[in-house]
Amino acid sequence: MAFPNQQWEDLRKQARQLENETDIKLVSFSKLGTSYSSQQGVKSDSDTAPLLSRSNSAHMFHTMSIELEQLLAKLTEVNDKMGDYLQSAGAGSSPALLHTMQRHRDILQDYSQEFNKTKANITANVEREDLLGSVRKDIESYKNQTGLNRRTDLYLKEHEHTRK
């Protein structure tokens, strides 16, 4: 009987380890999203550049997303194994084990929701900045074109005036 209990404890230990890793990564991922949001209000030379135009930021976002997806998949797998263990133990499972299992499922659900929400927010901010960047470019292009037309008109008027 010691072997099955050891199996449960090993699964719980794996789940706690994965939950801790996921929590740390989610905090970092959230900070990445916050840094993107805080860059929006700051005027700088790179204000017209899209948020993820820096390859390092884009790479970091992509890498962290993949790592978190992998951690959540592993955590799901461990939770499934814990559920299988409880089912194989039969109806005689203690309420404490059922409560522990439910708690791990709740943590997984919370982490998954937080990851999806943060990823969606970062993606929306990046898309917004890309759109605003293209609008800024269009405005600048229009201003430059209008400026050239105005200068040309002034030169033509001056030329006409000198010819008279």
Side-chain angles (χ1 to χ4, degrees), residues 4-68:
N5 285 338
Q6 185 61 39
Q7 181 184 7
W8 174 256
E9 289 303 316
D10 288 344
L11 289 172
R12 282 190 61 212
K13 186 185 288 187
Q14 286 177 13
R16 284 192 308 265
Q17 180 184 11
L18 289 169
E19 288 166 355
N20 289 335
E21 287 179 44
T22 304
D23 186 47
I24 291 168
K25 292 254 186 224
L26 279 173
V27 169
S28 298
F29 195 61
S30 181
K31 286 181 182 179
L32 179 66
T34 303
S35 71
Y36 286 155
S37 297
S38 67
Q39 287 177 2
Q40 289 179 9
V42 176
K43 288 283 185 186
S44 67
D45 294 336
S46 64
D47 189 44
T48 57
L51 287 176
L52 285 180
S53 65
R54 295 179 203 103
S55 61
N56 189 29
S57 295
H59 179 71
M60 187 181 309
F61 173 72
H62 183 69
T63 301
M64 289 182 78
S65 294
I66 290 172
E67 288 174 359
L68 278 164

Side-chain angles (χ1 to χ4, degrees), residues 29 32-33 36 61 117-127:
F29 195 61
L32 179 66
Y36 286 155
F61 173 72
K117 180 180 174 185
T118 303
K119 185 176 179 180
N121 287 340
I122 292 172
T123 303
N125 284 338
V126 169
E127 289 172 355

Side-chain angles (χ1 to χ4, degrees), residues 98-137:
L98 293 173
H99 175 75
T100 301
M101 179 67 233
Q102 186 59 44
R103 182 69 188 131
H104 284 290
R105 285 185 178 150
D106 291 344
I107 290 170
L108 172 61
Q109 183 178 10
D110 290 345
Y111 286 164
S112 296
Q113 288 175 348
E114 184 178 344
F115 168 69
N116 290 328
K117 180 180 174 185
T118 303
K119 185 176 179 180
N121 287 340
I122 292 172
T123 303
N125 284 338
V126 169
E127 289 172 355
R128 178 181 173 274
E129 285 301 307
D130 287 344
L131 178 62
L132 289 176
S134 72
V135 169
R136 286 184 190 120
K137 287 178 186 174

